[in-house]
Amino acid sequence: MPQAIPDAIRLDGVSKSFRLDDGKTVTALEGIDLGLREGEFVAVLGPSGCGKSTVLRLIAGLETASTGAVRIEGRAPSELAAAHRLGVAFQDHALLPWLSVAQNIALPYRVAGSKVDHARVDALIELVGLTGFRDARPSQLSGGMRQRASIARALVLDPDVLLLDEPFGALDAVTRRHMNVELQRIWGTRTLTTLLVTHSVDEAIFLADRIIVMTGRPGRILREVTVPFPRPRDPSVLRTPEFHALVDELTLALDPEEAAL
Amino acid sequence: MTRLSQFLARNWAVLLLLALWQGWVSLADLNSIVLPAPWPVLRDVLSHPALYLANAAQTLATATAGVAIGLGFGALVAVAAWASRLLAGMLTPLGLIFSSVPVVALIPILARLLGYDISTVVAIVAVSAFFPTFVFVGAGLKDLPRGADDLFSVLGASRAARLRHLVLPAAVPNLMIALRITVPEGVLAAILAEFLMGRSGLGFMFREAASRFAMERALGTSLVVTVAAVLCFSLAHRAERVIRTRWS
Ligand SMILES: Nc1ncnc2c1ncn2[C@@H]1O[C@H](COP(=O)(O)OP(=O)(O)O)[C@@H](O)[C@H]1O
Ligand SMILES: [Mg+2]
């Protein structure tokens, strides 16, 4: 497919190794070439420890590549963060324990030094289903509720790039499905370049334009799949034979040993 | 009945002490210059409420002023050490050494430096509060919630925003620990300094009474000191607990 516009996010020949305390080094990523077009939704699937979070942290500017380059709009990722245009929901929610849910979600405004839009904060609280918990503190919430609060916080400044690291991992199946539908709806209303790390094949197919399957030790990209379903996607897509065929294909790609059986 | 048994359950140790005190005085037939019985001591306190209250207020005001100054400067210097690696390298070892020096050792030095008056008593209390505050708040500034550092990086936080919205609030529980430690210590430091060099306050009152063998007055002062110290400690302890649950 010819690309008229340059990629919003590019990883070129990226490898990342970590030096451990005992002096050894682990290679977490090797030879990663990945591009996300502006407004594209890409999901990353792979077994745990294969380097998915490391890819996300490189794009967020929290790690620097050992070799190769990571560029967002042709510039260093830290510049996007400095412009308050980056939204990240971390695997371990990272809510501040002394702030209420509403205050946590409003934190990006305060850090950016701009006026808090309380109406927007309340709208997001409702969107993630935490109405009635706006004044609760994180320690009073379940794991799934904390994750939802952290997703609302990632969205509050209306970012241009959204990075989600297994954001629905602690949710029950019904809430997860509901959050998937809501995220799809938000995502359809604006241009938001998104990288979603997930364990769920269903979730990846329902939400993403393109799916990257990774393998571990060292982390590499095994294959890329373009999701054929048109948008907006109704949850009924999840019951079509095409959907199930794609789930099977990706599940096999993730677990090659089963393919040999 | 249950009220009474509750009261007994809570205060049996104090009551036992009073009984032993009374028993010892009666059995050994002690002169009241050596040791007066509990009741005359209590009577002296109750019949001179204004005198005791005025001196207790004086001591508490001195202790409060000193603790506030010590906490304020301790926290300020801890923040300065957070902001500058050079300052941290200089101040941290000093803080650790001085926070383990007992207050008594500092009193003669400070009195020599500042003169023998009330401001010196405040300074002594402030110094006794400064070092533990510096050490605890300094540790609190580095004890951030998991993932918070990464969060502030991706939010594009300036150093000032990081200090204001993350580092300072994170240190509040440790500031409360410093408060819990320095408040009773501050009250004792104030009394000790008043005893050694004061012109008023509970410490001075005790020395003045003891020097003219007014033992009811002297022991009455001790009683008020004990009650004041226990009250301050339990207030500070409660405040710390409230903040700690609010912060976790
Ligand atoms: N800061 C780090 N220090 C050392 N090793 C790390 C660090 N971060 C990640 N790794 C290693 O890199 C590999 C990939 O980790 P990660 O990206 O977290 O995997 P995933 O998110 O896919 O589970 C793992 O082997 C992990 O142990
Ligand atoms: Mg991970």
Side-chain angles (χ1 to χ4, degrees):
Chain A
M1 194 165 62
Q3 286 177 296
I5 38 170
D7 288 333
I9 301 174
R10 276 223 59 82
L11 283 76
D12 285 307
V14 167
S15 75
K16 175 69 189 176
S17 37
F18 291 102
R19 180 172 285 277
L20 302 180
D21 292 336
D22 60 10
K24 289 185 197 149
T25 56
V26 261
T27 307
L29 296 174
E30 201 170 79
I32 302 287
D33 290 304
L34 175 64
L36 278 77
R37 288 186 303 280
E38 189 182 340
E40 191 180 22
F41 196 130
V42 171
V44 179
L45 283 172
S48 43
C50 74
K52 304 182 296 295
S53 294
T54 306
V55 168
L56 185 135
R57 292 174 60 81
L58 283 164
I59 297 174
L62 294 171
E63 308 280 359
T64 46
S66 304
T67 65
V70 180
R71 284 280 176 264
I72 300 181
E73 295 167 356
R75 286 195 286 264
S78 57
E79 290 187 32
L80 191 81
H84 313 296
R85 290 174 55 211
L86 174 63
V88 181
F90 292 99
Q91 207 166 354
D92 63 347
H93 65 76
L95 299 171
L96 299 183
W98 55 83
L99 297 182
S100 69
V101 166
Q103 289 167 330
N104 263 295
I105 295 173
L107 182 71
Y109 285 113
R110 301 224 154 84
V111 168
S114 51
K115 206 173 150 293
V116 177
D117 182 345
H118 293 284
R120 180 163 171 80
V121 170
D122 285 342
L124 279 165
I125 288 174
E126 196 187 330
L127 179 87
V128 298
L130 290 177
T131 320
F133 292 92
R134 66 185 307 285
D135 298 318
R137 281 179 300 105
S139 61
Q140 299 166 312
L141 304 180
S142 70
M145 290 163 125
R146 286 179 210 160
Q147 281 190 323
R148 283 182 275 155
S150 96
I151 292 166
R153 183 182 58 195
L155 290 169
V156 76
L157 285 187
D158 214 356
D160 293 316
V161 171
L162 180 64
L163 307 175
L164 305 167
D165 197 349
E166 300 189 30
F168 308 121
L171 301 191
D172 61 274
V174 174
T175 315
R176 187 175 188 137
R177 181 67 47 91
H178 172 76
M179 289 299 299
N180 284 175
V181 172
E182 288 298 340
L183 184 60
Q184 217 239 148
R185 204 171 53 73
I186 300 170
W187 197 82
T189 60
R190 58 182 314 275
T191 309
L192 180 55
T193 310
T194 306
L195 186 84
L196 168 75
V197 170
T198 179
H199 267 132
S200 159
V201 177
D202 292 30
E203 185 170 280
I205 301 173
F206 180 62
L207 290 170
D209 298 312
R210 196 150 51 96
I211 296 171
I212 309 291
V213 181
M214 289 181 64
T215 57
R217 292 174 217 290
R220 292 173 207 271
I221 294 176
L222 185 67
R223 57 186 291 199
E224 293 188 31
V225 178
T226 302
V227 180
F229 307 114
R231 293 182 185 275
R233 290 177 194 157
D234 191 81
S236 62
V237 159
L238 297 163
R239 291 187 290 274
T240 60
E242 294 88 341
F243 183 87
H244 287 298
L246 195 51
V247 171
D248 290 344
E249 185 189 331
L250 286 171
T251 309
L252 280 181
L254 279 168
D255 192 354
E257 276 164 37
E258 195 172 316
L261 293 178
Chain B
M1 189 61 220
T2 50
R3 275 266 187 82
L4 181 67
S5 56
Q6 251 174 21
F7 178 80
L8 287 177
R10 278 197 189 176
N11 300 296
W12 64 269
V14 175
L15 294 173
L16 185 69
L17 208 64
L18 284 173
L20 284 176
W21 177 3
Q22 178 67 60
W24 189 28
V25 170
S26 321
L27 287 177
D29 197 17
L30 293 175
N31 188 308
S32 74
I33 290 180
V34 181
L35 185 70
W39 172 240
V41 170
L42 198 62
R43 197 176 46 205
D44 189 67
V45 176
L46 295 177
S47 54
H48 302 90
L51 177 71
Y52 279 96
L53 270 179
N55 281 286
Q58 158 92 61
T59 299
L60 286 180
T62 307
T64 308
V67 166
I69 294 169
L71 277 178
F73 271 98
L76 212 66
V77 175
V79 171
W82 174 83
S84 149
R85 189 172 297 197
L86 188 71
L87 278 178
M90 280 162 33
L91 294 171
T92 309
L94 275 180
L96 285 171
I97 292 167
F98 275 95
S99 62
S100 51
V101 172
V103 199
V104 200
L106 296 172
I107 293 178
I109 301 169
L110 284 170
R112 180 61 61 83
L113 287 173
L114 301 172
Y116 291 82
D117 61 11
I118 180 79
S119 60
T120 304
V121 180
V122 173
I124 287 163
V125 178
V127 168
S128 80
F130 174 84
F131 289 105
T133 307
F134 172 70
V135 171
F136 273 98
V137 172
L141 295 171
K142 293 189 194 98
D143 185 17
L144 306 178
R146 214 153 63 95
D149 213 36
D150 288 346
L151 172 70
F152 276 69
S153 297
V154 302
L155 290 177
S158 64
R159 216 163 147 70
R162 201 179 273 265
L163 180 67
R164 168 146 180 242
H165 296 290
L166 174 60
V167 173
L168 287 183
V172 167
N174 275 30
L175 180 72
M176 295 307 290
I177 294 179
L179 185 79
R180 192 217 329 129
I181 292 170
T182 56
V183 160
E185 208 173 280
V187 173
L188 293 183
I191 288 163
L192 196 59
E194 284 167 355
F195 178 81
L196 292 174
M197 46 175 288
R199 301 269 176 275
S200 60
L202 293 173
F204 171 76
M205 200 172 147
F206 179 87
R207 192 191 62 186
E208 189 275 327
S211 70
R212 57 183 173 84
F213 299 104
M215 293 319 285
E216 281 91 0
R217 179 62 46 84
L219 286 179
T221 313
S222 301
L223 195 68
V224 172
V225 165
T226 309
V227 169
V230 167
L231 271 179
C232 289
F233 177 78
S234 50
L235 275 179
H237 192 70
R238 195 165 298 178
E240 190 220 331
R241 272 229 309 262
V242 168
I243 293 293
R244 210 186 15 217
T245 43
R246 178 75 177 68
W247 246 249
S248 64

